[in-house]
Amino acid sequence: MWICATCAVEHDEQPDVCAICADERQWVPASGQAWTTLAELHHAGVRIAVRELEPDLFALHASPGVGIGQESKVVRTPAGLLLWDPLGYVDDEAVAAVRALGEVTAVVASHPHMFGVQVEWSHALGDVPVLVAEPDRHWVAREDPVIAAWQGDLEILPGVMLSQPGGHFPGSAVVHWAAGAQGRGVLLSGDTLFANPDRTSVSFMRSYPNRIPLSGAVAERVARHVTRRPFDRLYNNFDGVIPADATAVVLRSAARHAAWTRGDHDALT
């Protein structure tokens, strides 16, 4: 099993270039395609830390960073755990830390950039299902019987709903966790909606590293989709958070995005 050094997505074999990185939403380094393995990453000192974000929501972070460097989230419910946006690295200590929280029901990535070593995580956790959005199924570079496609809305655990607003990728997914934020609801948005540093707005992009925006119509469509269910707090796939009033933030940000892409504010430029 090979891991792309740039995006940390697992592969069955080494192609000339990682297809995910060659796509316009990602990038191949000027030095060329490079590969690594779990053994090499372990030897380099990569370790995973677990921290609690709020009651029953945890973050997994690899240090030094691996690939894109996302922060996985673990949602805990009485019926089991959801591992969201799996890291591009896993070891026995990290598995033990996750198991100490409960039994994982499924591994799900918000979109192909976040696949990480999803199959490896599944195997380490007892071959739990790896759910991949049907529109993005063709991006999987390591096939395994644990992979299952899904579409639409899926209640993966009681009160934990997966859905696919699309945007960044056609199958880009989010998690609505009804019990989060003391019952006011939490949205785990991946980078379908990216919490900005100001903590009062979100971004809608086809590519973040290459600065390709989505249209205003798509931003508003995504916002309408995710606000079908209430949420007060939003976490992206790194350490970004909208701590409160996140539903209003999403709708306001989509309207602002649409206005700028229409040219409403060109006089300011």
Side-chain angles (χ1 to χ4, degrees):
M1 189 267 289
W2 298 94
I3 303 169
C4 172
T6 303
C7 70
V9 169
E10 61 189 354
H11 287 64
D12 286 318
E13 56 189 28
Q14 289 186 20
D16 291 338
V17 66
C18 168
I20 288 174
C21 290
D23 178 72
E24 70 175 1
R25 285 162 286 203
Q26 189 37 26
W27 54 281
V28 178
S31 55
Q33 178 68 48
W35 300 96
T36 188
T37 65
L38 289 176
E40 288 177 352
L41 292 171
H42 185 82
H43 183 72
V46 177
R47 298 295 183 269
I48 295 175
V50 181
R51 64 188 179 99
E52 188 175 34
L53 300 174
E54 62 177 82
D56 293 324
L57 181 65
F58 304 85
L60 308 182
H61 180 76
S63 182
V66 176
I68 292 173
Q70 71 260 34
E71 183 178 81
S72 293
K73 304 297 191 294
V74 177
V75 180
R76 180 168 63 186
T77 77
L81 311 178
L82 170 65
L83 176 59
W84 175 248
D85 282 343
L87 299 176
Y89 176 74
V90 61
D91 59 20
D92 292 343
E93 291 77 12
V95 171
V98 171
R99 284 190 179 278
L101 302 175
E103 290 298 316
V104 173
T105 298
V107 177
V108 186
S110 57
H111 65 288
H113 292 153
M114 300 292 106
F115 282 169
V117 293
Q118 57 185 4
V119 170
E120 200 69 21
W121 273 101
S122 167
H123 289 176
L125 294 166
D127 293 337
V128 299
V130 173
L131 303 184
V132 176
E134 178 62 44
D136 299 332
R137 178 68 178 79
H138 63 284
W139 289 103
V140 171
R142 183 186 181 190
E143 293 293 346
D144 192 273
V146 298
I147 295 174
W150 69 283
Q151 289 195 82
D153 291 0
L154 176 64
E155 190 172 29
I156 189 65
L157 288 162
V160 181
M161 183 70 71
L162 307 176
S163 68
Q164 297 173 13
H168 183 48
F169 275 77
S172 282
V174 298
V175 175
H176 178 257
W177 175 37
Q182 295 77 49
R184 298 187 303 276
V186 160
L187 188 75
L188 304 182
S189 66
D191 55 16
T192 300
L193 309 92
F194 196 81
N196 291 329
D198 63 9
R199 298 164 67 88
T200 61
S201 66
V202 298
S203 295
F204 305 82
M205 300 288 282
R206 175 168 173 81
S207 171
Y208 289 88
N210 298 323
R211 311 296 193 270
I212 306 173
L214 294 171
S215 72
V218 171
E220 292 184 316
R221 187 199 78 204
V222 168
R224 287 193 302 270
H225 177 105
V226 301
T227 56
R228 294 177 302 159
R229 299 179 179 90
F231 59 93
D232 187 55
R233 190 171 297 145
L234 178 151
Y235 296 91
N236 67 17
N237 51 342
F238 290 82
D239 60 357
V241 60
I242 306 298
D245 203 27
T247 295
V249 166
V250 167
L251 293 170
R252 186 168 63 245
S253 298
R256 180 179 72 174
H257 183 106
W260 275 97
T261 57
R262 275 195 309 267
D264 291 5
H265 305 305
D266 283 359
L268 300 176
T269 67

